[in-house]
Amino acid sequence: MRAIIVRHGDTFPPGAEPRRIGARTDLPLVASGRAQGNRLAATLSGTAIDRCLTSPLLRTRETAAIIAPHIQAATVDWLREIDHGPDEGLTETAVRARIGASALFDWDTRAVAPADWIVDAATRLTAWQTFFATAQGTTLLVTSNGAARFALLALGQPPAKLRTGAYGEIVDGRVIAWDVRPDEPVQR
């Protein structure tokens, strides 16, 4: 079993202030996001992908179509971005001011969501565990950072950020790479 987990490409142009965009905001890729998809496609061009799973959101479906245009992607809800509740659309500065640095630290390091974010961690964790236990061949999964962190947790590892346009690779339950961008040197 080989899983290539990709975070969708950019949805904001370079220089735009980052905002918390989750399940309720369905943004398309911007030009830099499509370029990230093209770099991922070039990097993965020699990989025989057996199937592709995406979140229902446009940004993930667009990224998957760039990387693997020959495969009809299936959308699965457990890959959907989390719902940031009252922080949806706010800048990182505003989110930090509202919930505090310790709440963001808990989310980043332990996947413990702030009280008013809608995550359903148990369902996500179970979905990833089921996927890893039953998947065969090579699967491309295109999702978001919020959903991808549960892949690592399902393998007994701490969560780690997956940047836009980056991927991770898991082979037979082992993390081979994480947060790799095709335009940067690989760090293992």
Side-chain angles (χ1 to χ4, degrees), residues 13-34:
E17 186 172 7
R19 296 181 316 190
R20 285 278 167 174
I21 300 300
R24 289 184 279 153
T25 307
D26 201 6
L27 298 175
L29 297 176
V30 296
S32 61
R34 289 188 296 278

Side-chain angles (χ1 to χ4, degrees), residues 2 5 13 26 49 55 73 75 77 82 86 90-91 103 120 140 157:
R2 181 180 184 193
I5 303 167
D26 201 6
I49 298 170
S55 110
T75 59
D77 202 53
I82 63 153
L90 296 181
T91 65
D120 195 358
L140 173 68
Q157 302 218 5

Side-chain angles (χ1 to χ4, degrees), residues 1-8 37 40-41 43-45 47-55 60-76 78-79 128 131 135-143 162 166-170:
M1 183 286 303
R2 181 180 184 193
I4 301 168
I5 303 167
V6 171
R7 182 174 176 192
H8 61 79
L40 285 160
T43 298
L44 299 172
S45 66
T47 304
I49 298 170
D50 299 304
R51 69 180 177 151
C52 179
L53 303 176
T54 71
S55 110
T60 61
R61 291 182 289 118
E62 286 181 337
T63 302
I66 294 168
I67 296 169
H70 58 288
I71 296 177
Q72 177 66 41
T75 59
V76 292
W78 56 273
L79 291 177
W128 279 106
F131 169 77
Q136 297 180 353
T138 299
T139 305
L140 173 68
L141 301 101
V142 185
T143 189
L162 191 60
Y167 71 95
E169 184 176 359
I170 296 169

Side-chain angles (χ1 to χ4, degrees), residues 101-112:
S102 65
L104 286 176
F105 180 80
D106 285 345
W107 172 244
D108 289 338
T109 61
R110 299 184 304 127
V112 175

